[in-house]
Structure formats: structure tokens, C-alpha cells
Amino acid sequence: MKRRLRLLPGFSRTIQARLIIIYVLLILISMQLIGVYFVSAMKNSLTSNFTQDLQQRAQLLSVLIENKWSGSGDTFSNSVDDLKQIVDNLYNMSGTEIQEIQVLDASGRILTSSLDTTSGVEARRNTQTVVSRALQGINNNEEYIIDDTGERKRVVAEPIISGNRTVGAVYIVASMADLYDTMKRINGIFLYGILIALVMTAILGVILAHTITQPIKEMTRRAKQVAEGEFDHHMTVYSNDEIGQLSEAFNYMTGRLRDALAQNEEEKERLASILKNMSDGVIATDEHGCVILVNRVAGAMLSASEQDMTGKELVKLLPLSENERGKLQAGTLRQVMLTLSEPDESSSIVRVTFSTVHRRKDSVAGVIAVLQDVTEQEKLEGARREFVANVSHELRTPLTTIKSYTEALEDGALDERALAERFIGVIQNETQRMIRLVSDLLHLSRLDSSEATLRKQRTSVLELLEDTSDRFFVQMKQKHIGCDIDIQPNVGSVWIDRDQIDQVLDNLVSNALKYTMDGGSITLGAYSTKDDMLAIFIQDTGIGIPQQDLARIFERFYRVDKARSRNMGGTGLGLSIAQEIVRVHNGSIALDSELGQGTTVTVLLPLHEEGEVEE
């Protein structure tokens, strides 16, 4: 029972029901338009004829009474009974539609009426405008009224003119009940006609819709069979009209679909075999270069869903150059390295390998693109190349200097004692520079490989900062640089490797000294944060660091001012070593600077963490 109830609403969505509904509505709208026009025209015609008849009677009565008027026009020449007789004769001859006839003098006083005077006065009270116009000599005065009982009436008034003077008026009230009854009967007949026409239209619509929808229903059954894999049956062609042509097209489509499905199965097996053994991103295209298959990894690499990528051209999805696009379309592109932008504004490096898929008859069926994320590999390779280049450069500079001065000594400078001593001093400085560089590299290597062992001990923060200030006292005095220590009262001691943290502070204070002009100041301070961390900061009034260099300031061998750093004996590894030492202490380091305003470096260390102390 429930199943039948569900089918009923679906009937309104069938083509047959729509054809019947449209056909019936078309006839109904046409009949309604015709009916509205017919009824309106009939009403206007009957009302106009009714009004004209009343006006003619009023004019006739006006003429009859005018002949009875005195020559001067001031008084009625006959008796009122004669006037009453004329009104009664006209009233009795007019049928049932005229309800009252009145004759008024120039002052509006009723001389005679077909009814009693009181009712006449009451009736005329509701139509003063019509009477006033008639007493002013205006012809063809009419008005439509509805009395207290709801009866529709038509009122006309005509002037009585004697000797070019308006001496009175004729007033006639007629009921329109018979007229509206006639219109009601005509409307009923018209309504019955519409109902009969609609029934006949519905019957014809059912027959017409059946002839159209029957082949469609059969085609629907055949389509379901095709969907279930039955391709052996054919549609019966009943005629050569559009439905017959549709049946032939359906049979042709069924044959093509059978071939297409067979080819599709072959393609699916091929692609499934490839995807099954691939852990990288895979994109498959058809012979036109449009994407037909995308796996999840490829969608993640290209920051797009499979639905968004399917159907689009592969050359538009990958950021290829014009030359690479031409090679891909020609089938000669085998591998390319691409840089893809991520939603978080980062980028990744992807190696894309292309392979062409051929059909059995050596025709191209599409392209398989395999995407491999080699971002980390490229970063490591780039870091390795940069590291080797930096180390080579840093070692080559002092070695070149040593070689030059050694050759100078060999060429005879050794005989001049003052010059030889100066050259030997340069050689010793460059040798010390190389020793510092190698030492820093070994230190970084131990930190990277976690071979560096921390010897933590409880250390007074005030003592730590005062010792750091004392180590640079002479250098600060030479440059007239003041040094202040600013520690919050609640800061006591911290559990650290004193030697390692001393090296961090030495590197940071040394940098502050290098880049602070004579007469400047350096502040060493410490305070505790809300999350139980000790913050040690070194603030200077030096030249500052440009904003574009802040992101790379902790990179190895990176220098803001390379020439000045080398002249001052820097290796470019100080901040990197400081960052690694702080990291193994489970802390962090941050740098804030503004060009020309100075620099502040903040080191965060765990305040209450306790480590093992190695003897």
C-alpha cells in the first residue's frame, strides 16, 4: 500500500501527465480568455441597451409633459391628475423593471409619482446628483445604485424644457435584477460548456500522450536493460517521425556503448595495475591530454580535488614552460622538475615523469604522469652544496693568503726582518682563523649528531651575566661602550651547562660589540616568563639588521655584511652554534632588530628543568 502511495506523486512528473496537464491548461486558459471577453462584452451590451431604453422613456415622458405645460412655462396648464394619468400610463406599459417614475418642478418639488410621495422623496435623496444635473438642463443623466436590500438599480433623469427654460425634470428608477439574472444564466451555460470541453480535451490528451509516451516507456525499459549489461536487444522502430529517429539513435548508441565499455575495461585494468604499484602521485590522461584519473597523492601535491582536476588538460594543471608544453603535447617530454605552491604559501619541488600509453593498434591512448615529492632531497642537496661551497670559500681565503705570504717570504722577504715578522703574523692570524673555522664546524657536527654531552649544573643568573660582562670589559672600554645588567629580583639560578651557555653569550655579546659604534651601550638582562622559562636578552644600540635578512640570520655562513665580518675574524657560524646549543637545552632563541635602531637577542631556557651532572 505504501509503495502505491509513493507512485502517485511520481505520476505528475511523467511526460504523459505533463502533456495532459499542458493540453488541458491550454484549453482552459483559452476558454477563460474567451469567456472573460464574452461575458464582459455581453454585460456592457445589455447594460448599455438597458440604460438607453430608460433614457428614451424618460425623454418621451419629458416631451409629453412639456406639451401640457403653460405657455409661459411657470405653471402646469392642466390639473395634477392629468399629469398623474400620463405617469401611470407609462409606468403600467413599462413592465416590471421600472420601479418608480417621478415628475419634479424647477425647484425639485415632486409634482407626481408612480408611488407614494414619501418613498419617492427617499429614493431621490440617494440620487441628488442626477436630479440636480437634469434641473440644470443637462440631458442623458444616469447613475448606478444599490439600495439597502442589495438590489441593483439604474437611475435616469431628463430635463423638461418649455420656452427654452428648464421647468422641471423626469426621474425614473429601474431594477436591474432581471438583467443580472439573465447574465447569471448565460454564465452558467458557459461554465457547463467549459467543463464539457475540458473533459473532452482530457480524453483527447490521454490518447495523444499515450501515442507519444508509449515508445518512450519502451525505450526506458531498454535503457535499464542496457544499464544491466544486456546489449543484444534492439528497440522496435514504429514510425519515421522524431520518435522513430530517436529509437534508431538509441540502437546506434547501444552498439557504440558496448564497444566503448569494452575499451574502458581495458583502460581500467591497465590503470589499476599501474596505480596498484605506485606510492607516488599519478595522473592519467586520454589521447587529447585531458585528465581521466587522479589518485589522492597527486591531488594533495597539486592542492586540488580529484573532481576539480578530472576533465581538465594536464598542461594547464602543471606549471610547465612553453617549451615543455610543446614537448608534452608532442610526446617527447620524459621528465621535468617543477616547483609547486602550497596553500600555506610554501613551495615544494616535484619530479614529474611522463610515460605514453598505447592502444593495441599502436595509437596513443593517453599519458601517465608520475609525481614524486623531492623537496626534502633537494633541500638536503642544496644545503650540502651550499655548505661545501661555503666551507671551501672560507678555507680558500686564508689558504690563499698563507700561500701568497709564504711565496713572498720565499722570494726574499724573509731577509728583511721587519717585513718577515709582519708576514709571519698574517700567516699566524689566517692559521688561527682556519683553526676557529674547523673547531666551529666540529662543534656543529657534534651538536647535529647529538654527540655533545651536556654537563648541567645549578648556575646563578646574575653571576653568569656579570662574568660575561667582565670577559668583554677591555673591548667595551676601548670602544667607550657602556654595559648594563638588568635582572628581575625574582630571577635566581638556572640548571644549564655553564660552558655551553657561556659560549652562546660570548657569541652574542661579541656580535653586539662588532656592530655597535663607539659610545654606544649594551644591556645584558634576564627575567622569568609566565610559562616557567628564563629569558636572557642582549640588547645593543648598534647598526641593526635589515628586515629582509632576519629570516636567514641563523643560517650557517650567512652574513649581513660579509666583508666586515671577515675583517673582524668571524666565521659566520656563531649564531648557528648558539641556536644549536640552546636547542639541546630544550630552549629557543629569537632575534628582533630594526635597521639603525639596534638589535635584541632573546634566549629562552627552561627555568626549573634538572638534568644529569656528569663528573
Side-chain angles (χ1 to χ4, degrees):
M1 183 65 183
K2 292 182 179 179
R3 186 176 181 181
R4 291 180 180 177
L5 290 176
R6 284 196 299 266
L7 291 175
L8 288 176
F11 175 75
S12 62
R13 294 192 293 267
T14 62
I15 295 178
Q16 184 175 6
R18 293 176 184 177
L19 287 174
I20 295 173
I21 293 172
I22 291 173
Y23 195 45
V24 171
L25 289 177
L26 181 61
I27 298 301
L28 179 62
I29 293 173
S30 300
M31 295 293 290
Q32 286 294 331
L33 292 176
I34 295 173
V36 169
Y37 175 77
F38 174 75
V39 171
S40 177
M42 179 190 66
K43 179 180 177 181
N44 292 335
S45 178
L46 292 177
T47 304
S48 177
N49 292 337
F50 185 84
T51 304
Q52 289 179 2
D53 182 65
L54 285 180
Q55 289 176 346
Q56 289 176 358
R57 295 186 183 188
Q59 291 173 359
L60 176 61
L61 181 60
S62 174
V63 172
L64 293 175
I65 295 175
E66 179 185 350
N67 295 331
K68 301 294 185 179
W69 213 264
S70 63
S72 61
D74 295 332
T75 59
F76 190 63
S77 59
N78 299 82
S79 65
V80 176
D81 293 336
D82 293 339
L83 186 60
K84 175 70 172 173
Q85 184 64 37
I86 295 172
V87 171
D88 290 341
N89 290 338
L90 182 60
Y91 177 78
N92 294 329
M93 293 172 58
S94 300
T96 59
E97 68 275 7
I98 295 182
Q99 294 184 337
E100 183 179 6
I101 300 175
Q102 293 180 358
V103 178
L104 300 89
D105 60 10
S107 64
R109 182 172 57 87
I110 298 175
L111 298 178
T112 183
S113 172
S114 61
L115 302 178
D116 62 290
T117 304
T118 304
S119 62
V121 172
E122 184 66 27
R124 189 167 57 82
R125 188 175 301 158
N126 296 326
T127 56
Q128 286 294 330
T129 302
V130 177
V131 174
S132 299
R133 288 170 57 86
L135 292 176
Q136 294 174 12
I138 301 173
N139 296 320
N140 298 326
N141 303 296
E142 60 171 302
E143 189 174 0
Y144 173 79
I145 63 172
I146 299 177
D147 62 9
D148 296 337
T149 62
E151 185 178 2
R152 299 178 179 87
K153 296 180 180 180
R154 178 70 68 176
V155 178
V156 297
E158 291 292 333
I160 301 174
I161 300 174
S162 178
N164 295 326
R165 292 180 56 195
T166 301
V167 295
V170 175
Y171 173 83
I172 300 178
V173 180
S175 173
M176 301 181 71
D178 292 341
L179 184 145
Y180 279 94
D181 288 340
T182 301
M183 293 177 58
K184 185 176 180 181
R185 288 194 300 272
I186 294 174
N187 287 336
I189 294 171
F190 188 76
L191 180 61
Y192 285 127
I194 291 177
L195 294 176
I196 294 172
L198 289 177
V199 171
M200 295 180 64
T201 301
I203 296 173
L204 293 175
V206 170
I207 296 173
L208 177 62
H210 180 76
T211 59
I212 296 175
T213 58
Q214 184 60 30
I216 298 177
K217 290 180 180 178
E218 183 178 352
M219 192 176 300
T220 303
R221 290 192 295 269
R222 283 290 301 118
K224 292 180 180 179
Q225 293 174 352
V226 170
E228 294 173 358
E230 299 179 10
F231 296 98
D232 299 331
H233 300 285
H234 290 274
M235 275 286 299
T236 302
V237 180
Y238 293 99
S239 61
N240 293 326
D241 57 5
E242 289 81 357
I243 300 296
Q245 295 174 6
L246 180 61
S247 301
E248 292 178 353
F250 184 83
N251 291 332
Y252 175 73
M253 180 196 68
T254 302
R256 293 297 303 272
L257 183 60
R258 179 175 58 249
D259 298 337
L261 286 176
Q263 295 178 1
N264 190 37
E265 289 297 326
E266 295 177 3
E267 295 292 336
K268 287 176 62 178
E269 291 177 1
R270 241 190 320 264
L271 293 175
S273 176
I274 296 173
L275 290 175
K276 185 177 180 180
N277 299 289
M278 295 291 293
S279 58
D280 299 317
V282 178
I283 302 176
T285 70
D286 56 14
E287 63 272 19
H288 303 294
C290 296
V291 177
I292 59 175
L293 182 65
V294 183
N295 68 351
R296 180 182 55 82
V297 179
M301 289 182 179
L302 297 175
S303 303
S305 63
E306 298 179 24
Q307 293 79 6
D308 293 337
M309 297 173 63
T310 303
K312 294 184 178 179
E313 295 183 18
L314 181 60
V315 294
K316 294 182 179 179
L317 295 176
L318 301 177
L320 302 173
S321 64
E322 292 296 330
N323 185 30
E324 291 169 342
R325 289 187 179 186
K327 289 183 178 181
L328 178 60
Q329 292 173 348
T332 59
L333 187 62
R334 293 292 175 261
Q335 192 175 90
V336 66
M337 300 292 289
L338 300 176
T339 302
L340 303 179
S341 299
E342 302 290 340
D344 58 354
E345 297 184 358
S346 61
S347 60
S348 59
I349 302 174
V350 176
R351 180 191 295 117
V352 185
T353 304
F354 301 95
S355 59
T356 305
V357 179
H358 297 276
R359 291 196 180 96
R360 295 178 180 177
K361 297 182 179 180
D362 296 332
S363 59
V364 177
V367 175
I368 301 294
V370 180
L371 288 73
Q372 295 177 306
D373 191 342
V374 294
T375 305
E376 293 301 324
Q377 299 176 20
E378 290 296 320
K379 285 183 178 179
L380 291 175
E381 182 64 21
R384 184 191 66 80
R385 289 194 297 266
E386 184 178 0
F387 181 76
V388 171
N390 286 328
V391 171
S392 301
H393 180 75
E394 295 295 334
L395 290 175
R396 185 174 64 248
T397 301
L399 286 174
T400 301
T401 303
I402 292 173
K403 181 176 180 295
S404 300
Y405 280 90
T406 303
E407 290 176 349
L409 290 172
E410 186 179 8
D411 291 340
L414 188 61
D415 297 334
E416 299 180 18
R417 183 174 182 81
L419 185 61
E421 289 178 355
R422 192 167 62 114
F423 283 7
I424 291 172
V426 173
I427 293 173
Q428 288 177 342
N429 290 335
E430 293 300 321
T431 304
Q432 290 297 326
R433 178 179 173 185
M434 284 194 297
I435 292 173
R436 288 195 303 272
L437 176 62
V438 173
S439 299
D440 288 346
L441 289 173
L442 290 174
H443 195 177
L444 273 175
S445 178
R446 287 195 298 270
L447 291 172
D448 289 338
S449 60
S450 301
E451 294 179 359
T453 303
L454 295 180
R455 294 176 173 84
K456 290 186 178 181
Q457 59 183 351
R458 179 65 64 180
T459 303
S460 170
V461 178
L462 177 60
E463 179 185 347
L464 178 69
L465 297 182
E466 287 179 343
D467 290 348
T468 302
S469 175
D470 292 340
R471 286 195 294 273
F472 292 92
F473 175 76
V474 175
Q475 294 170 305
M476 292 183 182
K477 187 176 181 180
Q478 290 175 350
K479 295 185 68 173
H480 305 288
I481 293 176
C483 182
D484 298 324
I485 296 177
D486 181 14
I487 300 180
Q488 285 185 351
N490 60 342
V491 175
S493 59
V494 64
W495 195 261
I496 58 173
D497 184 324
R498 175 65 182 268
D499 292 337
Q500 299 278 16
I501 297 302
D502 277 343
Q503 184 178 359
V504 171
L505 295 178
D506 287 349
N507 286 339
L508 298 179
V509 174
S510 176
N511 284 340
L513 269 172
K514 290 178 185 177
Y515 299 105
T516 300
M517 300 294 101
D518 294 352
S521 64
I522 297 176
T523 302
L524 281 71
Y527 59 90
S528 59
T529 64
K530 295 180 180 179
D531 51 355
D532 291 333
M533 298 290 287
L534 173 67
I536 301 175
F537 65 90
I538 294 89
Q539 183 178 15
D540 62 60
T541 59
I543 61 176
I545 302 172
Q547 292 295 320
Q548 64 269 20
D549 294 315
L550 290 177
R552 301 187 58 189
I553 198 67
F554 290 101
E555 292 182 10
R556 298 173 186 183
F557 296 108
Y558 186 81
R559 299 183 178 93
V560 177
D561 188 347
K562 297 180 175 57
R564 182 170 183 173
S565 298
R566 289 194 180 96
N567 292 334
M568 293 181 177
T571 64
L573 298 174
L575 288 178
S576 299
I577 293 173
Q579 186 181 46
E580 292 300 323
I581 293 174
V582 173
R583 182 183 60 80
V584 298
H585 276 79
N586 296 322
S588 62
I589 184 170
L591 188 146
D592 183 26
S593 180
E594 186 175 350
L595 192 63
Q597 301 296 324
T599 302
T600 301
V601 182
T602 304
V603 177
L604 291 176
L605 297 171
L607 191 59
H608 301 297
E609 179 184 4
E610 291 187 0
E612 296 181 357
V613 179
E614 297 186 6
E615 300 297 337

